[in-house]
Amino acid sequence: MNLAKDFFAAIMSGSPTRVPQYDKSLFSGQGDRLPRDSWPEVNATGEPKVQVVIFEGWCVGFRSLSPTEVDVMYNGPSRTLKLHDPADLQFINAKLGAYDSITNLFDAFIHIDAENTEYVYDWRLEQEVKLRAQRGTGMTDEEVVRFVDAYYPAYELFTEKLRNGVFSDKLRCQLRLVVGKDRRVKETIVI
């Protein structure tokens, strides 16, 4: 969170800053941030200032739920929630509120939404097959399922709220692109 806050503060003030970079091939396909000295610098003296930032990430836009909402969802039908301790899910839900300070900075939001969130399992398997072919490293199919099972509860808990809109005070600033398993847009919704 500190890195995100510092990055956005620098961008918004037009100050020189480095753009964090991520490499999915690190740590056998689990990925990690690249060293800071390899990140490109923007807003350097004499350069044009950044006017648009596209901030991409799988949990961007998720908003926390009430503890009761988490309990209700935990006790309902689920693919992965019961693989996790309810206290851990409540902890993650509580920590998610810190992201609001970043989300509230956005002028617009584009949500690429899988028609069925379980597609992420097959999509991640496809990524790892390509990664193993290109770099000679990556997770096995079994490791991919365990890896996705670890973060899939976030989809189960927070996707519906995201689909209904991340902004309470900005109308028509969210675009929801519903994609099929083939990753083609099937529906476009303005929120």
Side-chain angles (χ1 to χ4, degrees):
M1 284 307 304
N2 289 336
L3 174 61
K5 287 178 182 178
D6 291 347
F7 172 76
F8 280 106
I11 287 293
M12 293 176 74
S13 71
S15 301
T17 190
R18 292 189 174 271
V19 179
Q21 303 292 297
Y22 191 84
D23 185 342
K24 287 187 180 201
S25 70
L26 296 176
F27 298 104
S28 300
Q30 293 185 46
D32 201 0
R33 209 176 297 140
L34 290 171
R36 184 171 174 39
D37 61 357
S38 70
W39 302 351
E41 187 175 33
V42 296
N43 288 342
T45 304
E47 287 186 1
K49 301 301 180 193
V50 171
Q51 299 295 310
V52 174
V53 174
I54 298 174
F55 184 60
E56 181 272 334
W58 73 270
C59 72
V60 175
F62 284 168
R63 301 278 194 172
S64 61
L65 305 170
S66 73
T68 302
E69 288 172 303
V70 174
D71 286 340
V72 167
M73 294 178 82
Y74 182 83
N75 291 311
S78 164
R79 177 178 175 135
T80 60
L81 292 179
K82 292 202 177 39
L83 298 175
H84 302 275
D85 184 317
D88 293 339
L89 298 174
Q90 291 287 3
F91 175 81
I92 290 167
N93 181 60
K95 292 293 184 183
L96 187 58
Y99 284 83
D100 288 347
S101 63
I102 301 300
T103 305
N104 292 339
L105 296 173
F106 301 161
D107 293 316
F109 190 84
I110 299 172
H111 174 203
I112 301 172
D113 185 17
E115 169 180 61
N116 179 336
T117 55
E118 290 189 23
Y119 294 165
V120 298
Y121 285 88
D122 291 332
W123 291 342
R124 186 59 196 243
L125 285 167
E126 289 173 13
Q127 282 181 323
E128 290 303 313
V129 167
K130 288 178 185 174
L131 190 60
R132 288 190 304 256
Q134 291 172 352
R135 303 233 180 139
T137 185
M139 289 185 266
T140 66
D141 291 359
E142 295 79 21
E143 289 171 327
V144 168
V145 171
R146 282 194 305 274
F147 182 75
V148 176
D149 280 349
Y151 68 77
Y152 192 80
Y155 286 113
E156 293 190 86
L157 291 171
F158 309 117
T159 297
E160 197 56 39
K161 194 170 189 176
L162 176 58
R163 286 175 173 161
N164 291 324
V166 295
F167 305 121
S168 60
D169 60 341
K170 299 175 192 167
L171 296 177
R172 304 187 59 77
C173 291
Q174 180 172 335
L175 181 64
R176 182 173 160 228
L177 304 174
V178 181
V179 297
K181 193 167 187 179
D182 62 359
R183 296 179 179 87
R184 293 181 187 270
V185 176
K186 296 179 83 175
E187 186 178 7
T188 302
I189 302 164
V190 177
I191 300 171

